[in-house]
Amino acid sequence: MNTLSESPRGTIVHDEIVPALAPWMHVVKAGQTLRIIDLEGNQAVDFLIYAADDDSERYSAQDTIAAQRNVYLRDGAALLSNEGRPMMTITGTSVAYHDTIGGACSCESNTLRYGHHTKAQHACVENFLDANVRAGRNKRDMVSNINFFMNVPVEADGTLGIVDGISAPGLTVDLRAEMDVTVVVSNCPQINNPCNGFNPTPVRMVVTN
Amino acid sequence: MTSSTANPNDARAHARAMAGTIVEAMPMLPPQADDVPGEVLWEETVAAGGYTSRRIARGTRLRLVDLYGDACASMLLFNAESPVERLNVADTIKVQWNGYLGAGKLLLTDMGRVIMSIVEDDAGTHDVFCGASNEASNARIYGTGKNYSPYPNARDRFMLAVAKYGLGRKDVHPCINWFKGVRVADDGATLPELGPFAPGRSLVLRAEMDLIAVFANCPHVLDTRPEFAVTPLRVTAWRGAVTEADDPIRQASPEGLRAFLNTEDYYRR
């Protein structure tokens, strides 16, 4: 097992490796910190947040962008809900910034981006649904997401796209929960673009008090 | 002294005497518009701070006019027969490799289909990044953002609108703001383009699916002007043909063509 690049502060209450391609769901209590470790580097981690006691309050990329007046998520960024309330805060990151405008890959959008031959491939929305359906949620609950470790530059004429990642083995992002939250992760299975170097790999999730 | 509304007959007469009143922000029934090339289906002026919604058939053209230069037409879209399918802003920009909307661009759903296309646009300042104002953001600027106040916020307007279709808070998804722009700087900073602009800027959208369109017309969330700076929005729709196979917007990109193929496949029934 890889070791943490810098040990997390506090007591570890959960430590789990999410396999390549897989979903993951976990409740992080207010005050706890979730560290995501990109074990092998360049792995996109698609990420939804719901208020644990009311899942109609959830992460909103547009509210987060408007409030911080920036489309990239850097150290210190408050991740806001559709009520404008902080759900989690990025309290440390060894990657310069993370994406929240690129959305999640789906079987359906893959047919547009790469061709209909990709329809049967596994995708992030499939992972989100896999986890959410078991918790009573469905596609109505798919709204906007964060892509940790994913790089989506926007050029002057508006051109944007997913490009080679800026992460590396062992790099981390720390997220402090500001309320009790359910986080749902898709450890991105995309193999048609550079979001994970065309090679999905495992990530590690460590929750500390 | 006897009031003019002291009994039901007088109250009825009083109420009926209001009929025929014309104000600027109202729907016109039946709809009339002498400057559109087709049977007019919808003609409404949306108040500053107002909202509206409409079920629209595939092929319908929808024109938005920023009458006085300060409208902010925040828009949600749903597949009318299955509203769990809806506009997906992230897929719209990712699939088209560009974050700025304009003529020839498509609006995509979360099921890989094109739901509207932008036929004409003489505004050029639109925003897919910053979304709707909310009660807290309005309260910071105007002191309140409640629906019953003079300063309603766009997201709460959306919630009222979708509730009338049996939808709820989970269905209020990321929106597009027409007429108010946000550009992205090299460092990711959001650069607002909020006007006020010249009066009369317009755009024409084409419905590629049977859809429900929802509009809120409230100040942009990045607009810090202390007065509730928003002006009425004109919405006009007219009947039109379903997009033909050789349509230039349909043919414009391989990604967009596949979105049309997916939409056409959906209607192959």
Side-chain angles (χ1 to χ4, degrees):
Chain A
M1 180 183 288
N2 294 50
T3 55
L4 297 173
S5 58
E6 175 191 342
S7 294
R9 282 189 284 273
T11 308
I12 294 177
V13 294
H14 192 84
D15 188 350
E16 184 174 355
I17 290 183
V18 182
L21 318 173
W24 185 73
M25 180 164 60
H26 197 79
V27 173
V28 185
K29 299 283 191 182
Q32 292 182 334
T33 292
L34 168 64
R35 170 170 287 190
I36 307 173
I37 306 157
D38 184 2
L39 293 173
E40 299 183 27
N42 206 19
Q43 173 63 26
V45 179
D46 289 41
F47 197 91
L48 303 172
I49 314 170
Y50 301 92
D53 59 357
D54 174 11
D55 62 15
S56 64
E57 179 168 8
R58 68 276 303 271
Y59 174 71
S60 166
Q62 290 187 328
D63 283 280
T64 299
I65 290 169
Q68 67 166 8
R69 288 167 166 67
N70 198 289
V71 299
Y72 299 126
L73 302 180
R74 297 184 174 87
D75 194 7
L79 309 177
L80 300 187
S81 74
N82 53 353
E83 298 291 347
R85 299 202 298 161
M87 305 190 84
M88 302 185 93
T89 302
I90 298 180
T91 53
T93 171
S94 48
V95 178
Y97 57 87
H98 305 269
D99 168 70
T100 195
I101 63 173
C105 64
S106 67
C107 297
E108 292 79 15
S109 71
N110 282 345
T111 70
L112 307 188
R113 298 165 72 198
Y114 312 111
H116 285 96
H117 66 284
T118 61
K119 180 74 186 299
Q121 293 175 0
H122 192 48
C124 281
V125 170
E126 308 288 307
N127 272 336
F128 285 145
L129 293 175
D130 182 293
N132 268 339
V133 164
R134 296 167 207 276
R137 289 183 290 270
N138 61 35
K139 197 165 84 56
R140 290 177 75 204
D141 300 287
M142 293 295 311
V143 180
S144 54
N145 66 291
I146 300 163
N147 299 304
F148 287 111
F149 306 109
M150 196 170 93
N151 189 16
V152 183
V154 183
E155 298 179 1
D157 64 356
T159 301
L160 60 78
I162 298 162
V163 300
D164 292 340
I166 52 177
S167 185
L171 296 190
T172 63
V173 57
D174 288 350
L175 304 157
R176 184 182 64 221
E178 306 298 348
M179 59 173 76
D180 292 355
V181 293
T182 302
V183 301
V184 182
V185 163
S186 168
N187 192 24
C188 188
Q190 182 62 263
I191 54 172
N192 300 290
N193 77 42
C195 69
N196 44 28
F198 305 92
N199 177 35
T201 51
V203 296
R204 182 176 166 197
M205 303 292 188
V206 180
V207 179
T208 52
N209 272 331
Chain B
M1 187 173 127
T2 304
S3 159
S4 67
T5 52
N7 63 68
N9 285 334
D10 288 352
R12 180 175 60 197
H14 175 269
R16 285 181 172 175
M18 295 181 208
T21 304
I22 300 290
V23 297
E24 179 173 40
M26 63 184 290
M28 296 304 291
L29 278 69
Q32 297 170 24
D34 56 12
D35 59 346
V36 299
E39 179 192 354
V40 184
L41 302 173
W42 181 23
E43 172 78 349
E44 179 168 353
T45 300
V46 184
Y51 73 98
T52 192
S53 66
R54 184 90 172 184
R55 180 169 174 158
I56 290 171
R58 192 173 180 223
T60 300
R61 269 59 166 182
L62 181 69
R63 183 182 63 189
L64 308 179
V65 182
D66 178 7
L67 290 173
Y68 303 103
D70 238 337
C72 179
S74 300
M75 185 182 79
L76 302 178
L77 297 174
F78 300 88
N79 174 349
E81 66 184 8
S82 179
V84 73
E85 177 177 5
R86 56 205 183 190
L87 172 69
N88 187 306
V89 166
D91 282 357
T92 293
I93 65 175
K94 178 170 60 185
V95 169
Q96 299 184 96
W97 301 89
N98 197 289
Y100 302 152
L101 296 177
K105 290 276 177 56
L106 312 178
L107 308 182
L108 304 176
T109 75
D110 52 15
M111 291 295 283
R113 303 182 182 114
V114 54
I115 187 165
M116 297 195 95
S117 54
I118 307 172
V119 178
E120 298 172 24
D121 173 32
D122 68 8
T125 53
H126 310 298
D127 165 34
V128 299
F129 298 108
C130 287
S133 59
N134 55 58
E135 184 179 339
S137 67
N138 272 26
R140 280 195 295 274
I141 301 171
Y142 317 112
T144 177
K146 300 283 191 190
N147 267 319
Y148 55 79
S149 80
Y151 312 106
N153 68 84
R155 193 168 66 84
D156 283 353
R157 290 320 216 180
F158 283 154
M159 288 214 277
L160 294 184
V162 303
K164 293 174 181 179
Y165 295 87
L167 305 174
R169 193 183 182 201
K170 291 182 169 188
D171 301 291
V172 176
H173 50 274
C175 71
I176 293 170
N177 296 313
W178 300 112
F179 298 121
K180 299 301 189 191
V182 170
R183 301 271 149 176
V184 178
D186 287 346
D187 65 354
T190 51
L191 307 175
E193 299 173 306
L194 301 177
F197 298 98
R201 299 189 313 156
S202 68
L203 68 153
V204 177
L205 306 171
R206 180 175 59 198
E208 308 293 356
M209 299 181 70
D210 292 339
L211 59 85
I212 298 166
V214 174
F215 292 99
N217 185 27
C218 298
H220 190 275
V221 65
L222 296 187
D223 196 329
T224 56
R225 287 177 284 175
E227 70 278 17
F228 192 69
V230 63
T231 52
L233 168 74
R234 174 74 54 81
V235 183
T236 307
W238 61 94
R239 198 179 305 282
V242 172
T243 302
E244 302 281 353
D246 61 351
D247 181 82
I249 293 176
R250 182 182 181 276
Q251 297 280 355
S253 74
E255 296 86 3
L257 178 56
R258 289 193 287 269
F260 273 94
L261 289 172
N262 286 350
T263 297
E264 290 154 7
D265 191 59
Y266 177 77
Y267 285 102
R268 191 167 288 124
R269 51 175 76 162

